[in-house]
Amino acid sequence: MAARIPIRFLDAGLGTTLESPPHNAKFQTDSSLWSSDFLITSPQTLSGVHQAFVKAGADVLLTATYQASLEGFAATKKPPRFDPFSNNDRPTAQDTPETYGRDEANALMRSAVPLARQAFSSMHGVENKGASQHVALSLGAYGATTRPSTEYSGDYKPPTMRTVEGLYEWHEERFRVFRDDEATWNDIDFVSFETLPVLQEVQAVRRVMAKHNTAPHAKPWWISCVFPNDDLTLPDGSPVSAVVEAMLANRGDEGQRPWGIGINCTDIKKLDELITLYEAAAQNILNIDPSLDASAKRTQWPWLVTYPDGAQGSVYNTETQEWEIDPQMKARGPQRPWHEELAEIVKKTAERGSWKGILVGGCCKTTPDDIRKLRSQLATIKSDAYFLETG
């Protein structure tokens, strides 16, 4: 029998958790920073959410940098300054709010890394970068940093941002904010490129990592794509076979394969079929010697990273930045609990025995309680196909 597959737990939807009780956050509609705005306004609130995920059983915390970008901070106004010795209770012209400069943006973006790390030390009482205490740098798609956001449509503007070269330059600049600061980079365990909607962006981030994620300080990293279309294609129309080829094929300056590949911010109803398609495509690309036993074959596979949304009938309106009920989903009637459905998918995937490991969590509309229930559900299921990694 092949060795059991390890399972680790990712956290869940940071932004939507902030919007929910007890936080009840209201994000600025004139800013593209979304949850990253809390790095400015309330880092202690972010810390509390990180701690809630650790308490729920998350092994990996994503930093609050998904929507963070240099452009986003440059377009975000600082709070107005008031002169305490003036009789005027309104800001004067010279007190018109400034925006955040390059050095300030760098510092704010980097501050997200120790904020996530400290959530582990505060919950466990000691700083320890061992198993079950991992910080993943969250780097969303270019479209996640625009206003309105376009990571679900792939409708990137200007035209240069629809090219590999344009996306490479943009991702490289943001990535180097973290890579070029030694203390920050040393505190990062994983790098995550998330919710990528276009094939050119997959190719671009592989080029970035091939150039900058080098020994002796290379980090494991993953690419995760979003599949909002009913035909299981990317927003740009690319089929899964082309997506996985872009993620894993060895060619030229895209040579560095990621530690993991996956699917995020996607309806859980699509997940089982998408994972099966990923497996078929990966099998063709990896070209593993068929004479090897199952355990030997698995060492040549990446990890599967999957964190579907928990919208359960809601869709996100990128213009209003509000969640709205989808009438078609509502007509389906009551949904199976998210944690039960995802646990069953993970179990089936592990039993097929392909992936080196599975990192599983949640995306939009999932909470610390969902992660707690998911971990409990997978611990309860009797299976010889997997085991839960523990610290």
Side-chain angles (χ1 to χ4, degrees):
M1 179 182 294
R4 293 182 299 162
I5 291 176
I7 293 178
R8 293 177 186 165
F9 292 88
L10 190 60
D11 58 11
L14 176 61
T16 51
T17 298
L18 286 166
E19 289 179 314
S20 303
H23 310 291
N24 299 313
K26 297 295 182 184
F27 297 115
Q28 298 182 46
T29 56
D30 60 348
S31 172
S32 63
L33 293 178
W34 211 36
S35 56
S36 298
D37 187 61
F38 277 68
L39 294 170
I40 302 169
T41 61
S42 187
Q44 67 272 18
T45 300
L46 288 175
S47 180
V49 175
H50 285 321
Q51 289 175 29
F53 281 120
V54 173
K55 188 175 181 180
D59 304 306
V60 182
L61 292 178
L62 287 159
T63 57
T65 49
Y66 174 75
Q67 287 99 351
S69 69
L70 295 170
E71 300 93 331
F73 280 101
T76 299
K77 292 182 178 180
K78 298 178 182 178
R81 296 190 302 270
F82 294 88
D83 183 352
F85 301 103
S86 171
N87 293 325
N88 188 355
D89 61 356
R90 296 182 180 180
T92 62
Q94 66 183 23
D95 292 324
T96 299
E98 302 172 354
T99 59
Y100 291 87
R102 176 65 180 258
D103 289 345
E104 293 171 308
N106 287 350
L108 285 165
M109 290 165 72
R110 291 167 182 161
S111 73
V113 177
L115 199 65
R117 174 69 62 200
Q118 289 160 13
F120 285 117
S121 60
S122 65
M123 294 303 297
H124 294 285
V126 62
E127 288 197 30
N128 175 13
K129 289 178 65 174
S132 296
Q133 296 190 14
H134 302 290
V135 171
L137 174 63
S138 173
L139 298 174
Y142 165 73
T145 69
T146 62
R147 183 177 176 272
S149 60
T150 52
E151 76 265 48
Y152 304 113
S153 68
D155 185 18
Y156 284 4
K157 295 179 178 63
T160 53
M161 300 311 292
R162 293 195 288 271
T163 68
V164 174
E165 188 60 36
L167 288 165
Y168 166 78
E169 291 177 358
W170 185 86
H171 276 282
E172 180 187 40
E173 181 179 41
R174 182 178 60 171
F175 177 75
R176 290 190 63 180
V177 170
F178 304 94
R179 180 65 181 89
D180 290 353
D181 184 76
E182 183 177 1
T184 301
W185 188 246
N186 288 342
D187 212 20
I188 292 168
D189 300 309
F190 294 95
V191 177
S192 168
F193 292 97
E194 308 179 86
T195 330
L196 305 190
V198 298
L199 207 62
Q200 293 95 324
E201 198 159 17
V202 175
Q203 296 164 342
V205 300
R206 284 195 67 186
R207 285 181 56 185
V208 170
M209 296 306 274
K211 180 175 180 180
H212 295 288
N213 190 41
T214 55
H217 303 295
K219 305 289 184 180
W221 59 287
W222 74 77
I223 305 173
S224 183
C225 285
V226 60
F227 293 87
N229 298 337
D230 290 338
D231 63 357
L232 305 183
T233 60
L234 285 188
D236 72 356
S238 299
V240 169
S241 57
V243 174
V244 176
E245 181 181 15
M247 289 172 166
L248 294 179
N250 279 330
R251 57 188 177 213
D253 55 5
E254 299 165 19
Q256 187 181 102
R257 279 180 173 158
W259 168 90
I261 62 173
I263 303 151
N264 79 293
C265 215
T266 295
D267 185 350
I268 196 170
K269 302 297 182 188
K270 302 174 184 177
L271 190 60
D272 195 20
E273 186 174 358
L274 280 167
I275 292 173
T276 302
L277 291 171
Y278 261 62
E279 288 175 4
Q283 182 68 57
N284 290 335
I285 294 162
L286 294 172
N287 195 26
I288 297 170
D289 184 347
S291 67
L292 296 175
D293 64 30
S295 294
K297 289 178 181 177
R298 190 182 297 160
T299 63
Q300 300 182 45
W301 276 67
W303 276 62
L304 172 68
V305 185
T306 183
Y307 40 125
D309 68 39
Q312 299 281 48
S314 298
V315 292
Y316 185 66
N317 186 320
T318 59
E319 294 286 345
T320 64
Q321 296 184 322
E322 298 286 345
W323 288 89
E324 301 171 352
I325 297 296
D326 181 347
Q328 292 182 332
M329 293 292 291
K330 187 176 181 180
R332 293 182 188 178
Q335 305 290 306
R336 185 181 180 189
W338 179 87
H339 68 280
E340 291 183 7
E341 191 163 4
L342 184 51
E344 184 62 28
I345 292 169
V346 169
K347 175 178 177 288
K348 288 167 60 178
T349 302
E351 287 174 345
R352 289 195 296 270
S354 296
W355 303 94
K356 187 180 293 185
I358 301 173
L359 177 60
V360 60
C363 204
C364 295
K365 305 294 282 186
T366 53
T367 66
D369 193 50
D370 289 317
I371 298 303
R372 180 186 61 77
K373 290 177 179 177
L374 176 63
R375 184 165 194 133
S376 177
Q377 185 79 8
L378 281 165
T380 301
I381 295 173
K382 303 300 181 184
S383 176
D384 293 328
Y386 66 83
F387 67 97
L388 308 188
E389 284 198 339
T390 57

